[in-house]
Amino acid sequence: MFMIRLIAILAAFVLPAAAFAESVDVSTARGVVALQAKPRRVAVFDMAALDTLDLLGVKAAGVPDRVYLPELKKAAAGAEVVGTLFEPDLEALSALGPDLIILGGRSSPKLQQTSRVAPTIDMSIDGQDLIKDAEARLDTYGRLFGREQAAREAQRTFVAAVAAAREAAKDKGRALILMTNGPKISAFGVGSRFGWLHATLGIEPAVTSMGPGIHGEAVSFEFVRKADPDWLIVVDRALAIGAGDSQARATLDNELVRSTKAWKQGRVIYLPAADLYIAGGGIQAMTRVLAAITRGFSATQ
Amino acid sequence: MMPVEQAVGRPVGAAALLVLAGLFVTSLFVGVGEVSLGGAFTDPDALYLIAASRLPRTLAAVLTGAGLAIAGLVMQTLARNRFVEPTTAGTGQSAALGILLVTLLMPSASIALKTLVASLTALAGTSLFLSIAHRLPPTQPFLVPLFGLVYGGVVGAAVTFVAWHADLLQFVEIWTSGEFSGVLRGRYELLWVSAAMLAATWIFADRFTLMSLGRDVSVGLGLDYARMMQIGLVIISVVTALTVVVVGLIPFVGLVVPNMVSRLMGDNMRSAIPWVAGSGAALVLVCDIVGRLLRFPYEIPVGTVLGVVGAAAFLWLLFRRPAHA
């Protein structure tokens, strides 16, 4: 009896101490937020976050019904399904009872709703400076989840991958970034969601007049022919969203595109679409994108 | 119901043809690549651009515009109501549903197969619409378009439901947003089937005109009403499905154009057909040219431009007193 009482008294002292665990300042897409360190149950709606957390060895407790990237299936295995990439299921979230909810990009408009269930952070990343933001997120997650050591190691590897891509693309000529949408195409310039390819990797843009804009500019094939880039960098949106119609090559393989320098010399780089489009900013996904760029620019001379 | 010649006269017809020809030529010279008027005949590169890109795009716009306007005219005749058209009364949505289903069940299906399935679902959807529309009391003409909107909304909701479950919402959005930026030599030729449908409408024009008098009257005059209904349905469905598959949904053309033409020259279909087809072609051509120029060298989808232009024209139709009431 005495022992039990003693334990109860001790627990009464110890538990509040645990509750007042150290807090960490986290910079999110909506400013700096103070969070309790080392949250244990985390619901993750942002694929970039899921990707980076997976690298750090943090297991998500709740995930959307589809993670789109085959590489993320393992990271999501065993976690509860708590909605879709766009739409958190508030009831499922309540049932999960997470300590922290991570939103980003497509789910970020739902911040207010999910904040009623648990502390929520918006970790959206825009494309202007994707590499820097990806590194910042890596560091943040490292501190938040107490995996500083793993984060530092990952950071070193990642910086090397960026340097390799920069080196491969150096002085190779002008590139045009295209996204194919079934039979239609849009072009992306400096300042767009894929603008970091130009800004960070130093790839020279073939068209300099394009304004920012997250969805790029709808263009005709004549536009591509006129720009006549040395390189085409292609993102297949249908492939990224798993629409089953992976046909970027078929869309581009027409007489107007075939007349560009890039096509004639086989300088067309297809980026891993889902890595970039769905999980853009995740360290593992970005490493694969960088590897594709390095490979593409090194393959032909 | 005066023939065109009496109503507006030959000079007007010639002038209209000139306007259409002018738009056609303008469309050949609007684009990102450099094609000058002089160069069109001498510069091999300019000639190549016209053949590979401009002419196909212009023809696609003409075929789409003429086809949709005619499909609208036929649908309005069959429904005996001026305020329905394929994209508001479920035909376009049914075609989209067909594309969605074939994408789900057979992702590698060819464009021709997709068109076939889309035509079949459009046919089924339009038949259902017309069979219900014919049961509505003829004394309440606004019930038909109202029902059409609800029906189109329900079919559209079914498309959204299936797409949402299969995570293809954005895919449907891409398919159904109407634009010509992807049109090139070798990528629009299916649209010529629309021209065949136009010819069929021309052949059956007088019988369609009889149908607009109603079932009892036209049967009394010796018309095979059921057969004509089937032919009309096939014309509407095939044109709409082709357009949705090749360029996407283009709103308002089928509604605004037949109405304007009927205001000017009455309901004799045979005399109206060239005007409806020509005006539809001109409308879509203008909107595509505007879409190419507004944010040059980037594109604005023709569906977006038509949404604005068509809405304005529709309001004008609603608020103006009918000319042939």
Side-chain angles (χ1 to χ4, degrees), chain B residues 63-77:
Chain B
L63 289 170
T64 306
L68 285 179
I70 289 293
L73 178 70
V74 174
M75 191 161 195
Q76 287 163 20
T77 310

Side-chain angles (χ1 to χ4, degrees), chain A residues 225-237:
Chain A
R225 184 173 185 266
K226 175 101 183 288
D228 195 16
D230 302 306
W231 296 85
L232 278 172
I233 300 178
V234 182
V235 182
D236 185 344
R237 184 160 178 269

Side-chain angles (χ1 to χ4, degrees), chain A:
Chain A
M1 203 58 201
F2 172 74
M3 278 303 284
I4 290 171
R5 193 168 289 174
L6 184 66
I7 288 168
I9 292 167
L10 280 175
F13 278 99
V14 172
L15 278 178
F20 289 119
E22 68 178 308
S23 101
V24 177
D25 281 343
V26 171
S27 57
T28 74
R30 308 189 188 198
V32 178
V33 176
L35 288 175
Q36 198 180 315
K38 300 183 188 174
R40 265 188 282 167
R41 290 173 76 73
V42 188
V44 183
F45 289 91
D46 181 45
M47 291 303 105
L50 189 65
D51 177 276
T52 300
L53 291 179
D54 178 48
L55 180 65
L56 295 179
V58 177
K59 189 91 182 134
V63 292
D65 59 344
R66 273 189 69 188
V67 293
Y68 295 85
L69 281 64
E71 291 87 352
L72 283 181
K73 289 245 166 68
K74 193 171 57 70
E80 292 292 326
V81 170
V82 283
T84 73
L85 192 59
F86 291 85
E87 191 80 42
D89 178 341
L90 294 180
E91 283 181 36
L93 266 180
S94 299
L96 180 72
D99 307 320
L100 177 68
I101 300 171
I102 300 179
L103 302 184
R106 293 154 184 90
S107 53
S108 58
K110 308 292 178 190
L111 185 99
Q112 278 208 311
Q113 286 97 308
T114 59
S115 292
R116 275 183 251 141
V117 179
T120 304
I121 49 175
D122 174 6
M123 297 305 253
S124 303
I125 301 178
D126 73 11
Q128 307 266 3
D129 202 346
L130 196 60
I131 299 288
K132 203 180 108 215
D133 290 343
E135 289 176 357
R137 293 282 190 262
L138 175 64
D139 174 65
T140 299
Y141 295 136
R143 285 187 294 115
L144 179 58
F145 290 92
R147 308 281 166 113
E148 288 94 340
Q149 182 59 31
R152 268 194 298 275
E153 277 164 31
Q155 165 92 6
R156 265 195 294 277
T157 328
F158 188 63
V159 168
V162 175
R166 268 189 78 91
E167 189 54 39
K170 199 174 171 190
D171 300 326
K172 291 283 171 64
R174 300 147 54 248
L176 180 64
I177 308 167
L178 288 180
M179 179 182 263
T180 62
N181 255 337
K184 297 153 195 170
I185 51 172
S186 17
F188 289 78
V190 182
S192 70
R193 83 194 290 168
F194 303 136
W196 63 275
L197 285 163
H198 296 303
T200 312
L201 297 187
I203 301 172
E204 202 186 326
V207 179
T208 46
S209 59
M210 261 182 285
I214 191 164
H215 293 295
E217 298 280 4
V219 293
S220 58
F221 294 111
E222 277 187 32
F223 179 90
V224 180
R225 184 173 185 266
K226 175 101 183 288
D228 195 16
D230 302 306
W231 296 85
L232 278 172
I233 300 178
V234 182
V235 182
D236 185 344
R237 184 160 178 269
L239 190 65
I241 59 177
D245 255 26
S246 59
Q247 41 168 247
R249 202 190 153 80
T251 300
L252 292 175
D253 190 3
N254 62 60
E255 47 186 325
L256 292 184
V257 176
R258 279 198 291 265
S259 71
T260 58
K261 280 189 226 121
W263 194 275
K264 277 187 207 147
Q265 299 172 14
R267 293 172 162 181
V268 185
I269 303 173
Y270 297 94
L271 295 185
D275 284 337
L276 188 54
Y277 189 71
I278 305 284
I283 294 294
Q284 300 182 79
M286 293 311 293
T287 305
R288 289 191 291 269
V289 173
L290 290 165
I293 291 167
T294 310
R295 254 198 326 273
F297 277 106
S298 314
T300 30
Q301 288 306 315

Side-chain angles (χ1 to χ4, degrees), chain B:
Chain B
M1 285 191 289
M2 275 180 292
V4 185
E5 285 81 2
Q6 285 168 34
V8 286
R10 280 184 193 282
V12 179
L17 212 58
L18 265 180
V19 170
L20 186 58
L23 286 172
F24 194 93
V25 174
T26 309
S27 170
L28 293 181
F29 289 95
V30 174
V32 178
E34 270 140 31
V35 179
S36 68
L37 256 177
F41 304 101
T42 50
D43 181 5
D45 192 56
L47 268 178
Y48 164 79
L49 257 191
I50 287 186
S53 160
R54 303 288 170 78
L55 189 62
R57 183 169 186 158
T58 306
L59 285 173
V62 166
L63 289 170
T64 306
L68 285 179
I70 289 293
L73 178 70
V74 174
M75 191 161 195
Q76 287 163 20
T77 310
L78 297 194
R80 300 185 64 203
N81 193 293
R82 285 254 154 244
F83 289 102
V84 293
E85 71 138 352
T87 56
T88 57
T91 310
Q93 290 89 338
S94 304
L97 186 62
I99 295 175
L100 186 57
L101 292 178
V102 84
T103 305
L104 276 177
L105 303 175
M106 288 186 65
S108 57
S110 66
I111 289 285
L113 184 62
K114 277 182 182 155
T115 315
L116 183 70
V117 174
S119 300
L120 290 176
T121 51
L123 197 64
T126 316
S127 311
L128 187 60
F129 166 71
L130 284 176
S131 68
I132 298 174
H134 277 270
R135 281 174 209 181
L136 300 171
T139 47
Q140 307 239 330
F142 280 104
L143 268 184
V144 176
L146 219 59
F147 167 68
L149 285 178
V150 173
Y151 180 76
V154 170
V155 179
V159 172
T160 309
F161 179 78
V162 174
W164 189 77
H165 268 273
D167 225 332
L168 289 174
L169 262 185
Q170 295 177 319
F171 173 79
V172 169
E173 198 183 293
I174 295 165
W175 263 109
T176 53
S177 84
E179 64 170 313
F180 293 107
S181 67
V183 172
L184 285 175
R185 182 157 66 186
R187 294 198 175 168
Y188 80 101
E189 280 76 359
L190 262 176
L191 287 176
W192 282 104
V193 179
S194 288
M197 292 298 124
L198 217 158
T201 316
W202 175 258
I203 293 168
F204 295 113
D206 295 333
R207 278 174 259 188
F208 282 131
T209 307
L210 280 185
M211 282 183 82
S212 64
L213 299 174
R215 187 196 180 95
D216 294 343
V217 177
S218 52
V219 168
L221 290 169
L223 187 79
D224 187 344
Y225 189 85
R227 170 57 53 83
M228 283 315 299
M229 183 63 104
Q230 286 163 1
I231 291 172
L233 277 171
V234 167
I235 291 172
I236 299 168
S237 309
V238 169
V239 169
T240 309
L242 275 171
T243 316
V244 172
V245 171
V246 179
V247 294
L249 279 172
I250 297 185
F252 287 114
V253 181
L255 183 67
V256 167
V257 172
N259 271 292
M260 298 254 183
V261 172
S262 126
R263 296 253 157 136
L264 295 172
M265 58 192 45
D267 288 335
N268 183 335
M269 201 157 174
R270 186 171 293 280
S271 58
I273 283 175
W275 288 90
V276 170
S279 314
L283 179 62
V284 173
L285 259 181
V286 167
C287 290
D288 187 39
I289 292 172
V290 168
R292 268 181 275 174
L293 288 177
L294 270 182
R295 296 203 58 221
F296 190 85
Y298 315 115
E299 303 246 348
I300 296 176
V302 69
T304 312
V305 180
L306 255 169
V308 177
V309 175
F314 185 62
L315 287 176
W316 177 79
L317 278 178
L318 279 181
F319 285 112
R320 205 175 152 275
R321 291 206 153 274
H324 289 269

